[in-house]
Amino acid sequence: AQSVSQHNHHVILSEAASLELGCNYSYGGTVNLFWYVQYPGQHLQLLLKYFSGDPLVKGIKGFEAEFIKSKFSFNLRKPSVQWSDTAEYFCAVTRTRNSGGYQKVTFGTGTKLQVIP
Amino acid sequence: DVKVTQSSRYLVKRTGEKVFLECVQDMDHENMFWYRQDPGLGLRLIYFSYDVKMKEKGDIPEGYSVSREKKERFSLILESASTNQTSMYLCASRKTGGVTEAFFGQGTRLTVV
């Protein structure tokens, strides 16, 4: 079964600090990878996604993520965080089953980011 | 603007009650999902559906059932609510094929007393 691990549960940074959130998945086949963000009181929304091609993916609000296949990782980065980045971040993976064509989405446990002004 | 709508933001139910959580999407998506979100545990998949009347168990289906009679609607049913089902419930939908993201509803915070 596919699974996603996010090892940082709670991260506290000062504004302008650099951010890197770890994400590792366990599936040996072809995967599609996502980072979602949940701002306080809001619904989950997509930050960025990877399916093929350039392993460095750029998303909204200055976020980027790098897919490293050999490490089964898809870490999220931002060079300089802002107070408004305070949120919970979720990594997710999907794959396509050969028989059904439908896609189960598996999420990690999330990382709470707190940015101090 | 795409939309996933959950019928209630907050619900309080008594132990043993039958509880229905409703979710409607307006994007003609084939796939729909129910997750529960708990602090420190992230999002855990309860059930998903890839077509009308089709469903598959997720990672924590015990104590839950689902219904999908129409493409746009996916219901989560707690047959006999228990206090350990107090949680935030999230519905999502996603198109089959390609690399498309899931769209989420606002969530239903269910408290079982």
Side-chain angles (χ1 to χ4, degrees), chain A residues 36 38 49 51 102-103 105, chain B residues 35 37 56 94 99 102 106:
Chain A
Y36 287 82
Q38 188 175 34
K49 61 186 178 185
F51 58 101
Y102 53 88
Q103 297 162 312
V105 186
Chain B
Y35 293 89
Q37 183 179 12
E56 281 230 354
R94 185 168 185 258
V99 183
Q106 288 279 63

Side-chain angles (χ1 to χ4, degrees), chain B residues 3-4 25 27 29 31-33 91-95 101-104:
Chain B
K3 217 171 227 183
V4 178
Q25 51 100 358
M27 296 165 282
H29 286 170
N31 304 293
M32 295 188 75
F33 307 83
C91 176
S93 73
R94 185 168 185 258
K95 190 167 182 56
E101 69 266 33
F103 291 87
F104 284 84

Side-chain angles (χ1 to χ4, degrees), chain A residues 41-69:
Chain A
Q42 296 189 26
H43 63 277
L44 274 152
Q45 55 189 287
L46 183 72
L47 264 184
L48 49 77
K49 61 186 178 185
Y50 171 82
F51 58 101
S52 66
D54 190 343
L56 186 61
V57 179
K58 294 195 183 297
I60 61 171
K61 304 188 181 186
F63 285 91
E64 64 180 32
E66 184 174 13
F67 171 54
I68 304 178
K69 190 174 181 179

Side-chain angles (χ1 to χ4, degrees), chain A residues 3-109:
Chain A
S3 67
V4 179
S5 297
Q6 292 181 246
H7 304 294
N8 312 107
H9 299 296
H10 196 180
V11 174
I12 302 174
L13 294 173
S14 298
E15 273 193 318
S18 64
L19 169 72
E20 181 160 3
L21 301 182
C23 172
N24 290 90
Y25 64 93
S26 66
Y27 178 65
T30 302
V31 294
N32 303 318
L33 296 155
F34 305 81
W35 274 98
Y36 287 82
V37 61
Q38 188 175 34
Y39 297 104
Q42 296 189 26
H43 63 277
L44 274 152
Q45 55 189 287
L46 183 72
L47 264 184
L48 49 77
K49 61 186 178 185
Y50 171 82
F51 58 101
S52 66
D54 190 343
L56 186 61
V57 179
K58 294 195 183 297
I60 61 171
K61 304 188 181 186
F63 285 91
E64 64 180 32
E66 184 174 13
F67 171 54
I68 304 178
K69 190 174 181 179
S70 61
K71 294 185 178 180
F72 297 88
S73 71
F74 189 55
N75 292 353
L76 181 71
R77 299 196 294 245
K78 186 171 184 179
S80 175
V81 294
Q82 301 171 322
W83 176 80
S84 58
D85 294 324
T86 294
E88 192 161 13
Y89 293 81
F90 294 90
C91 183
V93 62
T94 70
R95 58 183 176 92
T96 302
R97 279 179 60 163
N98 292 334
S99 58
Y102 53 88
Q103 297 162 312
K104 174 183 171 182
V105 186
T106 301
F107 284 80
T109 53

